[in-house]
Amino acid sequence: MRALIPGLKAWPYHHELEHLMAQALEAAGHEVVFLGCSREGMSACECVDQAVHERHGGHAAFCGLCHAKQGGVHQRAGFREIPAPWDELLERRLDGRLEGLDAEGLLAIPVAGHSLAEFAGPSLMRWARSGRPVAGRVPTAVLAAHARQALRLEALLPELLEREQVDLVLLLSGLFLSERVISEVARARGLRVVNYERGHARNTLVLADDRPACFLEIGPEREDARPGGPDPLLEAY
């Protein structure tokens, strides 16, 4: 079996978990390849929130600084790593497709059988540092960058999966934009998708087939249950 692990975030703790799982897979006789970030192939990333965006003057400026450390991190750990895909001709086509679209038009763009609004919600909330939906309050340029990221992966990932003869995709959470698109593209090819997340108990992992690993069912639904309001701590973050 060959597993693809998209390690696209500059989050060292998750790299440690991914490298640990990769070593376990290799010890069991499987092949592992990492999908790493690239300056060209990442127009939106959860490492960049509104504060980082404003401090660095945009995503691209921060991405260049981040990539100086993040680029090749999986290869340096001893694993085979390929960069996030990018194609110049596709970028020119996306320029034309996204030009002039307002927020409503961008959020309605179809991506892997869903709308961008369905895929990008958690990533946009993280960008705005909010615990509530924020799509209508995010700058159009940021929405366009997320749309470009999603459409780029949808277009280029199938060839990568075929070339690498991937059987299983193992990725973080399954909740954020790039991972959502990767999951849907992989499932459309009949591949198994496993999401992981750090567990609530120390030094544990939660693994889930075909759904975000952070969606936990902890017991039967109670008739007297009431939906909670916004978390004050998260709102103040």
Side-chain angles (χ1 to χ4, degrees):
M1 181 187 72
R2 175 171 290 181
L4 175 72
I5 303 180
L8 300 172
K9 309 288 190 285
W11 295 342
Y13 178 79
H14 285 287
H15 291 335
E16 291 179 9
L17 298 178
E18 289 159 356
H19 295 168
L20 177 65
M21 290 186 287
Q23 286 183 320
L25 286 167
E26 290 183 338
H30 305 296
E31 296 181 61
V32 175
V33 59
F34 275 86
L35 182 66
C37 74
S38 68
R39 280 176 289 188
E40 298 86 1
M42 298 294 294
S43 56
C45 170
E46 288 72 32
C47 296
V48 179
D49 59 22
Q50 186 172 7
V52 173
H53 191 275
E54 293 173 354
R55 187 162 61 247
H56 290 271
H59 179 96
F62 174 81
C63 193
L65 294 173
C66 180
H67 189 265
K69 298 180 179 179
Q70 165 73 3
V73 65
H74 308 297
Q75 183 176 356
R76 291 195 296 274
F79 301 102
R80 181 164 170 258
E81 177 180 350
I82 52 180
W86 185 87
D87 179 82
E88 185 174 355
L89 179 59
L90 173 65
E91 297 302 313
R92 290 202 295 266
R93 292 203 301 265
L94 292 178
D95 287 342
R97 183 174 180 182
L98 300 175
E99 184 179 5
L101 290 179
D102 59 10
E104 183 178 359
L106 289 166
L107 291 169
I109 287 177
V111 181
H114 299 262
S115 68
L116 181 68
E118 293 178 80
F119 276 171
S123 293
L124 295 174
M125 290 166 64
R126 185 177 179 88
W127 187 90
R129 306 175 76 173
S130 172
R132 289 176 286 189
V134 296
R137 296 186 279 118
V138 173
T140 303
V142 173
L143 291 177
H146 281 75
R148 181 181 294 270
Q149 176 70 14
L151 293 170
R152 179 191 297 122
L153 282 172
E154 180 189 26
L156 300 181
L157 192 64
E159 191 276 332
L160 185 152
L161 294 173
E162 177 66 27
R163 184 183 72 242
E164 296 295 331
Q165 293 295 292
V166 172
D167 302 296
L168 176 143
V169 177
L170 172 63
L171 43 72
L172 167 62
S173 178
L175 193 61
F176 293 127
L177 177 65
S178 292
E179 286 77 13
R180 290 286 300 276
V181 177
I182 292 170
S183 295
E184 292 301 321
V185 172
R187 290 191 191 103
R189 298 181 61 85
L191 304 182
R192 184 182 179 189
V193 176
V194 176
N195 300 307
Y196 86 89
E197 186 54 271
R198 60 190 302 178
H200 294 291
R202 186 178 182 182
N203 295 328
T204 64
L205 289 174
V206 177
L207 299 170
D209 271 295
D210 293 324
R211 63 182 176 86
C214 52
F215 287 176
L216 304 179
E217 294 186 16
I218 58 176
E221 183 178 353
R222 293 177 48 177
E223 293 183 0
D224 61 345
R226 297 180 181 180
D231 187 314
L233 180 62
L234 183 58
E235 287 301 303
Y237 172 65

mmCIF file with all atom_site columns, all heavy atoms in Angstrom, residues 3 20 44 48 50 71 77 81-82 84 99 124 148 202-204:
data_model
loop_
_atom_site.group_PDB
_atom_site.id
_atom_site.type_symbol
_atom_site.label_atom_id
_atom_site.label_alt_id
_atom_site.label_comp_id
_atom_site.label_asym_id
_atom_site.label_entity_id
_atom_site.label_seq_id
_atom_site.pdbx_PDB_ins_code
_atom_site.Cartn_x
_atom_site.Cartn_y
_atom_site.Cartn_z
_atom_site.occupancy
_atom_site.B_iso_or_equiv
_atom_site.pdbx_formal_charge
_atom_site.auth_seq_id
_atom_site.auth_comp_id
_atom_site.auth_asym_id
_atom_site.auth_atom_id
_atom_site.pdbx_PDB_model_num
ATOM 1   N N   . ALA A 1 3   ? 0.735   5.285  0.870   1.00 0.00 ? 3   ALA A N   1
ATOM 2   C CA  . ALA A 1 3   ? -0.040  6.311  1.550   1.00 0.00 ? 3   ALA A CA  1
ATOM 3   C C   . ALA A 1 3   ? 0.504   7.687  1.211   1.00 0.00 ? 3   ALA A C   1
ATOM 4   O O   . ALA A 1 3   ? 1.720   7.909  1.195   1.00 0.00 ? 3   ALA A O   1
ATOM 5   C CB  . ALA A 1 3   ? 0.000   6.097  3.057   1.00 0.00 ? 3   ALA A CB  1
ATOM 6   N N   . LEU A 1 20  ? 5.519   10.322 12.913  1.00 0.00 ? 20  LEU A N   1
ATOM 7   C CA  . LEU A 1 20  ? 5.372   9.110  13.722  1.00 0.00 ? 20  LEU A CA  1
ATOM 8   C C   . LEU A 1 20  ? 4.499   8.087  13.007  1.00 0.00 ? 20  LEU A C   1
ATOM 9   O O   . LEU A 1 20  ? 4.842   6.895  12.923  1.00 0.00 ? 20  LEU A O   1
ATOM 10  C CB  . LEU A 1 20  ? 4.764   9.460  15.085  1.00 0.00 ? 20  LEU A CB  1
ATOM 11  C CG  . LEU A 1 20  ? 4.474   8.282  16.029  1.00 0.00 ? 20  LEU A CG  1
ATOM 12  C CD1 . LEU A 1 20  ? 5.775   7.604  16.441  1.00 0.00 ? 20  LEU A CD1 1
ATOM 13  C CD2 . LEU A 1 20  ? 3.723   8.777  17.265  1.00 0.00 ? 20  LEU A CD2 1
ATOM 14  N N   . ALA A 1 44  ? -3.655  29.914 -0.176  1.00 0.00 ? 44  ALA A N   1
ATOM 15  C CA  . ALA A 1 44  ? -4.407  30.077 1.069   1.00 0.00 ? 44  ALA A CA  1
ATOM 16  C C   . ALA A 1 44  ? -3.963  28.974 2.022   1.00 0.00 ? 44  ALA A C   1
ATOM 17  O O   . ALA A 1 44  ? -3.765  27.834 1.607   1.00 0.00 ? 44  ALA A O   1
ATOM 18  C CB  . ALA A 1 44  ? -5.907  29.996 0.827   1.00 0.00 ? 44  ALA A CB  1
ATOM 19  N N   . VAL A 1 48  ? -1.976  31.494 8.014   1.00 0.00 ? 48  VAL A N   1
ATOM 20  C CA  . VAL A 1 48  ? -2.150  32.932 7.831   1.00 0.00 ? 48  VAL A CA  1
ATOM 21  C C   . VAL A 1 48  ? -3.555  33.323 8.280   1.00 0.00 ? 48  VAL A C   1
ATOM 22  O O   . VAL A 1 48  ? -4.543  32.918 7.668   1.00 0.00 ? 48  VAL A O   1
ATOM 23  C CB  . VAL A 1 48  ? -1.939  33.337 6.357   1.00 0.00 ? 48  VAL A CB  1
ATOM 24  C CG1 . VAL A 1 48  ? -2.141  34.844 6.189   1.00 0.00 ? 48  VAL A CG1 1
ATOM 25  C CG2 . VAL A 1 48  ? -0.559  32.931 5.886   1.00 0.00 ? 48  VAL A CG2 1
ATOM 26  N N   . GLN A 1 50  ? -5.964  36.830 9.901   1.00 0.00 ? 50  GLN A N   1
ATOM 27  C CA  . GLN A 1 50  ? -6.094  38.243 9.575   1.00 0.00 ? 50  GLN A CA  1
ATOM 28  C C   . GLN A 1 50  ? -4.931  39.061 10.128  1.00 0.00 ? 50  GLN A C   1
ATOM 29  O O   . GLN A 1 50  ? -4.406  39.951 9.454   1.00 0.00 ? 50  GLN A O   1
ATOM 30  C CB  . GLN A 1 50  ? -7.418  38.775 10.119  1.00 0.00 ? 50  GLN A CB  1
ATOM 31  C CG  . GLN A 1 50  ? -7.731  40.202 9.706   1.00 0.00 ? 50  GLN A CG  1
ATOM 32  C CD  . GLN A 1 50  ? -9.129  40.616 10.094  1.00 0.00 ? 50  GLN A CD  1
ATOM 33  O OE1 . GLN A 1 50  ? -9.832  39.892 10.785  1.00 0.00 ? 50  GLN A OE1 1
ATOM 34  N NE2 . GLN A 1 50  ? -9.548  41.783 9.637   1.00 0.00 ? 50  GLN A NE2 1
ATOM 35  N N   . GLY A 1 71  ? 9.570   24.608 3.933   1.00 0.00 ? 71  GLY A N   1
ATOM 36  C CA  . GLY A 1 71  ? 9.811   23.866 2.696   1.00 0.00 ? 71  GLY A CA  1
ATOM 37  C C   . GLY A 1 71  ? 10.777  22.710 2.905   1.00 0.00 ? 71  GLY A C   1
ATOM 38  O O   . GLY A 1 71  ? 11.867  22.889 3.448   1.00 0.00 ? 71  GLY A O   1
ATOM 39  N N   . ALA A 1 77  ? 13.235  15.089 7.374   1.00 0.00 ? 77  ALA A N   1
ATOM 40  C CA  . ALA A 1 77  ? 12.965  14.065 8.393   1.00 0.00 ? 77  ALA A CA  1
ATOM 41  C C   . ALA A 1 77  ? 13.184  12.653 7.848   1.00 0.00 ? 77  ALA A C   1
ATOM 42  O O   . ALA A 1 77  ? 12.986  11.677 8.578   1.00 0.00 ? 77  ALA A O   1
ATOM 43  C CB  . ALA A 1 77  ? 11.545  14.208 8.921   1.00 0.00 ? 77  ALA A CB  1
ATOM 44  N N   . GLU A 1 81  ? 9.221   13.582 -0.238  1.00 0.00 ? 81  GLU A N   1
ATOM 45  C CA  . GLU A 1 81  ? 8.289   14.712 -0.226  1.00 0.00 ? 81  GLU A CA  1
ATOM 46  C C   . GLU A 1 81  ? 8.173   15.308 -1.624  1.00 0.00 ? 81  GLU A C   1
ATOM 47  O O   . GLU A 1 81  ? 9.176   15.502 -2.316  1.00 0.00 ? 81  GLU A O   1
ATOM 48  C CB  . GLU A 1 81  ? 8.763   15.785 0.756   1.00 0.00 ? 81  GLU A CB  1
ATOM 49  C CG  . GLU A 1 81  ? 7.891   17.025 0.783   1.00 0.00 ? 81  GLU A CG  1
ATOM 50  C CD  . GLU A 1 81  ? 8.376   18.073 1.775   1.00 0.00 ? 81  GLU A CD  1
ATOM 51  O OE1 . GLU A 1 81  ? 9.282   17.755 2.582   1.00 0.00 ? 81  GLU A OE1 1
ATOM 52  O OE2 . GLU A 1 81  ? 7.841   19.198 1.753   1.00 0.00 ? 81  GLU A OE2 1
ATOM 53  N N   . ILE A 1 82  ? 6.939   15.573 -2.035  1.00 0.00 ? 82  ILE A N   1
ATOM 54  C CA  . ILE A 1 82  ? 6.700   16.261 -3.302  1.00 0.00 ? 82  ILE A CA  1
ATOM 55  C C   . ILE A 1 82  ? 5.953   17.557 -2.989  1.00 0.00 ? 82  ILE A C   1
ATOM 56  O O   . ILE A 1 82  ? 5.154   17.614 -2.052  1.00 0.00 ? 82  ILE A O   1
ATOM 57  C CB  . ILE A 1 82  ? 5.896   15.392 -4.293  1.00 0.00 ? 82  ILE A CB  1
ATOM 58  C CG1 . ILE A 1 82  ? 4.615   14.866 -3.636  1.00 0.00 ? 82  ILE A CG1 1
ATOM 59  C CG2 . ILE A 1 82  ? 6.741   14.243 -4.789  1.00 0.00 ? 82  ILE A CG2 1
ATOM 60  C CD1 . ILE A 1 82  ? 3.781   14.009 -4.567  1.00 0.00 ? 82  ILE A CD1 1
ATOM 61  N N   . ALA A 1 84  ? 3.393   20.863 -3.211  1.00 0.00 ? 84  ALA A N   1
ATOM 62  C CA  . ALA A 1 84  ? 2.014   21.109 -3.634  1.00 0.00 ? 84  ALA A CA  1
ATOM 63  C C   . ALA A 1 84  ? 2.011   21.506 -5.108  1.00 0.00 ? 84  ALA A C   1
ATOM 64  O O   . ALA A 1 84  ? 2.844   22.296 -5.550  1.00 0.00 ? 84  ALA A O   1
ATOM 65  C CB  . ALA A 1 84  ? 1.400   22.208 -2.785  1.00 0.00 ? 84  ALA A CB  1
ATOM 66  N N   . GLU A 1 99  ? -11.713 36.618 -11.917 1.00 0.00 ? 99  GLU A N   1
ATOM 67  C CA  . GLU A 1 99  ? -11.709 38.075 -12.068 1.00 0.00 ? 99  GLU A CA  1
ATOM 68  C C   . GLU A 1 99  ? -13.135 38.637 -12.019 1.00 0.00 ? 99  GLU A C   1
ATOM 69  O O   . GLU A 1 99  ? -14.039 38.154 -12.698 1.00 0.00 ? 99  GLU A O   1
ATOM 70  C CB  . GLU A 1 99  ? -11.043 38.469 -13.381 1.00 0.00 ? 99  GLU A CB  1
ATOM 71  C CG  . GLU A 1 99  ? -10.907 39.976 -13.559 1.00 0.00 ? 99  GLU A CG  1
ATOM 72  C CD  . GLU A 1 99  ? -10.215 40.340 -14.854 1.00 0.00 ? 99  GLU A CD  1
ATOM 73  O OE1 . GLU A 1 99  ? -9.934  39.423 -15.659 1.00 0.00 ? 99  GLU A OE1 1
ATOM 74  O OE2 . GLU A 1 99  ? -9.938  41.533 -15.060 1.00 0.00 ? 99  GLU A OE2 1
ATOM 75  N N   . LEU A 1 124 ? -12.058 30.041 6.794   1.00 0.00 ? 124 LEU A N   1
ATOM 76  C CA  . LEU A 1 124 ? -12.331 31.476 6.851   1.00 0.00 ? 124 LEU A CA  1
ATOM 77  C C   . LEU A 1 124 ? -12.551 31.935 8.291   1.00 0.00 ? 124 LEU A C   1
ATOM 78  O O   . LEU A 1 124 ? -12.149 33.041 8.663   1.00 0.00 ? 124 LEU A O   1
ATOM 79  C CB  . LEU A 1 124 ? -13.554 31.805 5.990   1.00 0.00 ? 124 LEU A CB  1
ATOM 80  C CG  . LEU A 1 124 ? -13.381 31.571 4.487   1.00 0.00 ? 124 LEU A CG  1
ATOM 81  C CD1 . LEU A 1 124 ? -14.700 31.799 3.765   1.00 0.00 ? 124 LEU A CD1 1
ATOM 82  C CD2 . LEU A 1 124 ? -12.293 32.470 3.907   1.00 0.00 ? 124 LEU A CD2 1
ATOM 83  N N   . ARG A 1 148 ? -8.977  30.011 -5.385  1.00 0.00 ? 148 ARG A N   1
ATOM 84  C CA  . ARG A 1 148 ? -7.861  29.582 -6.236  1.00 0.00 ? 148 ARG A CA  1
ATOM 85  C C   . ARG A 1 148 ? -7.198  28.330 -5.667  1.00 0.00 ? 148 ARG A C   1
ATOM 86  O O   . ARG A 1 148 ? -6.868  27.396 -6.402  1.00 0.00 ? 148 ARG A O   1
ATOM 87  C CB  . ARG A 1 148 ? -6.845  30.719 -6.366  1.00 0.00 ? 148 ARG A CB  1
ATOM 88  C CG  . ARG A 1 148 ? -5.654  30.394 -7.260  1.00 0.00 ? 148 ARG A CG  1
ATOM 89  C CD  . ARG A 1 148 ? -4.693  31.574 -7.319  1.00 0.00 ? 148 ARG A CD  1
ATOM 90  N NE  . ARG A 1 148 ? -5.287  32.713 -7.977  1.00 0.00 ? 148 ARG A NE  1
ATOM 91  C CZ  . ARG A 1 148 ? -5.218  32.944 -9.299  1.00 0.00 ? 148 ARG A CZ  1
ATOM 92  N NH1 . ARG A 1 148 ? -4.549  32.089 -10.078 1.00 0.00 ? 148 ARG A NH1 1
ATOM 93  N NH2 . ARG A 1 148 ? -5.771  34.002 -9.814  1.00 0.00 ? 148 ARG A NH2 1
ATOM 94  N N   . ARG A 1 202 ? -3.907  13.196 26.741  1.00 0.00 ? 202 ARG A N   1
ATOM 95  C CA  . ARG A 1 202 ? -2.530  13.471 26.345  1.00 0.00 ? 202 ARG A CA  1
ATOM 96  C C   . ARG A 1 202 ? -1.922  12.286 25.603  1.00 0.00 ? 202 ARG A C   1
ATOM 97  O O   . ARG A 1 202 ? -2.114  11.128 25.979  1.00 0.00 ? 202 ARG A O   1
ATOM 98  C CB  . ARG A 1 202 ? -1.697  13.796 27.587  1.00 0.00 ? 202 ARG A CB  1
ATOM 99  C CG  . ARG A 1 202 ? -0.281  14.251 27.286  1.00 0.00 ? 202 ARG A CG  1
ATOM 100 C CD  . ARG A 1 202 ? 0.457   14.604 28.557  1.00 0.00 ? 202 ARG A CD  1
ATOM 101 N NE  . ARG A 1 202 ? 1.803   15.081 28.275  1.00 0.00 ? 202 ARG A NE  1
ATOM 102 C CZ  . ARG A 1 202 ? 2.679   15.415 29.202  1.00 0.00 ? 202 ARG A CZ  1
ATOM 103 N NH1 . ARG A 1 202 ? 2.351   15.338 30.484  1.00 0.00 ? 202 ARG A NH1 1
ATOM 104 N NH2 . ARG A 1 202 ? 3.887   15.842 28.865  1.00 0.00 ? 202 ARG A NH2 1
ATOM 105 N N   . ASN A 1 203 ? -1.175  12.602 24.540  1.00 0.00 ? 203 ASN A N   1
ATOM 106 C CA  . ASN A 1 203 ? -0.461  11.602 23.740  1.00 0.00 ? 203 ASN A CA  1
ATOM 107 C C   . ASN A 1 203 ? -1.399  10.569 23.117  1.00 0.00 ? 203 ASN A C   1
ATOM 108 O O   . ASN A 1 203 ? -1.065  9.387  23.031  1.00 0.00 ? 203 ASN A O   1
ATOM 109 C CB  . ASN A 1 203 ? 0.608   10.900 24.588  1.00 0.00 ? 203 ASN A CB  1
ATOM 110 C CG  . ASN A 1 203 ? 1.700   11.848 25.035  1.00 0.00 ? 203 ASN A CG  1
ATOM 111 O OD1 . ASN A 1 203 ? 2.022   12.799 24.328  1.00 0.00 ? 203 ASN A OD1 1
ATOM 112 N ND2 . ASN A 1 203 ? 2.257   11.603 26.209  1.00 0.00 ? 203 ASN A ND2 1
ATOM 113 N N   . THR A 1 204 ? -2.574  11.013 22.692  1.00 0.00 ? 204 THR A N   1
ATOM 114 C CA  . THR A 1 204 ? -3.497  10.126 21.980  1.00 0.00 ? 204 THR A CA  1
ATOM 115 C C   . THR A 1 204 ? -3.888  10.765 20.657  1.00 0.00 ? 204 THR A C   1
ATOM 116 O O   . THR A 1 204 ? -3.759  11.987 20.469  1.00 0.00 ? 204 THR A O   1
ATOM 117 C CB  . THR A 1 204 ? -4.770  9.839  22.796  1.00 0.00 ? 204 THR A CB  1
ATOM 118 O OG1 . THR A 1 204 ? -5.495  11.069 22.992  1.00 0.00 ? 204 THR A OG1 1
ATOM 119 C CG2 . THR A 1 204 ? -4.431  9.214  24.137  1.00 0.00 ? 204 THR A CG2 1
#
